[in-house]
Amino acid sequence: MTTLRKVMLVDDEEDIRAIGKLSLGRVGGWETVLAASGSEALTKAAAEQPDLILLDVMMPGMDGPTTFAKLREQPATAATPIIFMTAKVQKQEVARYLELGALGVIGKPFDPMTLPQEIRKLVPG
């Protein structure tokens, strides 16, 4: 059973990070860690040890799937559950992310009132 206490949101868009923090903190009741890029995510995730990472797919520099692979290479985050967030929720895209080992995919824009509910549906426990 996974108990979520700390959730990390990785997104290059400031407004998404702000809305996500409100949603995860106020609605979900979780401690929230934010990262604005893939490289920041790698450093922060290792230091903060979140119980779950929400990872944007489309980011400049290091994209979501690349960040995902690098998180898996770090001992500190090798087993951390990861959910992708993307505006492109086509079947083949979702299948590809699940194949990589993601817990699931949440569509963007997300509803801040129901985001924690969607997360709980995907997290085993």
Side-chain angles (χ1 to χ4, degrees):
M1 160 136 184
T2 311
T3 307
L4 290 184
R5 285 187 204 88
K6 189 189 283 191
V7 178
M8 180 170 181
L9 172 63
V10 185
D11 200 297
D12 59 301
E13 290 177 51
E14 199 176 328
D15 55 342
I16 300 228
R17 291 197 305 276
I19 295 164
K21 187 175 173 73
L22 280 174
S23 170
L24 299 167
R26 293 213 183 135
V27 183
W30 299 310
E31 186 185 334
T32 310
V33 181
L34 300 175
S37 66
S39 52
E40 190 185 356
L42 295 176
T43 316
K44 276 198 173 171
E48 296 276 354
Q49 292 286 289
D51 301 308
L52 174 73
I53 298 171
L54 296 175
L55 183 56
D56 184 23
V57 170
M58 300 286 286
M59 293 188 292
M62 203 189 298
D63 69 359
T66 307
T67 305
F68 182 98
K70 291 193 179 297
L71 285 164
R72 285 291 172 257
E73 288 165 11
Q74 293 188 155
T77 53
T80 308
I82 297 174
I83 295 173
F84 276 115
M85 298 181 83
T86 179
K88 295 188 179 134
V89 209
Q90 285 100 357
K91 264 200 180 129
Q92 69 270 25
E93 294 277 316
V94 173
R96 189 166 74 91
Y97 303 139
L98 295 176
E99 245 164 58
L100 286 176
L103 266 190
V105 178
I106 289 176
K108 282 168 70 178
F110 54 83
D111 177 344
M113 295 317 291
T114 60
L115 178 63
Q117 224 170 304
E118 286 188 63
I119 291 169
R120 286 192 179 101
K121 268 189 236 161
L122 293 170
V123 175

